[in-house]
Amino acid sequence: GHLSESGGGVVQPGGSLTLSCATSGFTFTKFAMSWVRQAPGKGMEWITGINSRGDSAYYTDSVKGRHTTSRDNAKNTVYLHLNSLKTEDTAMYYCAADTSPGGLGTLYFVPASFDTWGQGTQVTVST
């Protein structure tokens, strides 16, 4: 499979951005999708995932209530809506999935579980 993120940029604290992840090469409607970020000097952090149908999403505590994820199965695209951005949200953002047979119908929360990654899109929150 192939994942390609877009929509990153520089934004002031309190601002908003929407990231998109276009997918191809696998049956998008059968797999959960996640967003993972890596802040400067830190490890990979899973922040949110959404099930294959798009009717259940999960969030890590640091983004809960501020960021949301959604998907459009007709467009094979998953989104990350970043709101009330803070300087600590500055990171490279990746969409990721386990597109192996073991990933069918399963949402993982650990970055090491994913076998398919995009190239990432940079989000910088700064005055």
Side-chain angles (χ1 to χ4, degrees):
H2 181 69
L3 310 178
S4 180
E5 303 92 339
S6 61
V10 180
V11 62
Q12 292 186 340
S16 299
L17 280 174
T18 293
L19 309 183
S20 300
C21 174
T23 75
S24 62
F26 64 101
T27 307
F28 181 72
T29 56
K30 292 187 176 181
F31 293 94
M33 298 295 298
S34 285
W35 288 90
V36 178
R37 68 184 180 186
Q38 186 170 30
K42 297 190 177 179
M44 291 286 194
E45 177 189 24
W46 177 90
I47 59 171
T48 180
I50 186 167
N51 69 350
S52 58
R53 296 183 305 275
D55 57 7
S56 291
Y58 304 87
Y59 301 90
T60 194
D61 286 346
S62 62
V63 308
K64 200 174 294 182
R66 296 189 300 122
H67 305 339
T68 59
T69 187
S70 64
R71 63 192 291 161
D72 185 337
N73 281 356
K75 295 182 177 180
N76 292 344
T77 300
V78 62
Y79 302 96
L80 179 62
H81 309 280
L82 303 171
N83 299 299
S84 301
L85 281 159
K86 304 177 180 180
T87 55
E88 52 262 45
D89 291 314
T90 294
M92 184 72 78
Y93 285 73
Y94 301 89
C95 60
D98 176 1
T99 62
S100 71
L104 286 168
T106 303
L107 175 58
Y108 294 104
F109 304 93
V110 177
S113 302
F114 305 128
D115 63 355
T116 304
W117 293 78
Q119 82 285 353
T121 188
Q122 178 69 38
V123 173
T124 301
V125 185
S126 173
T127 57

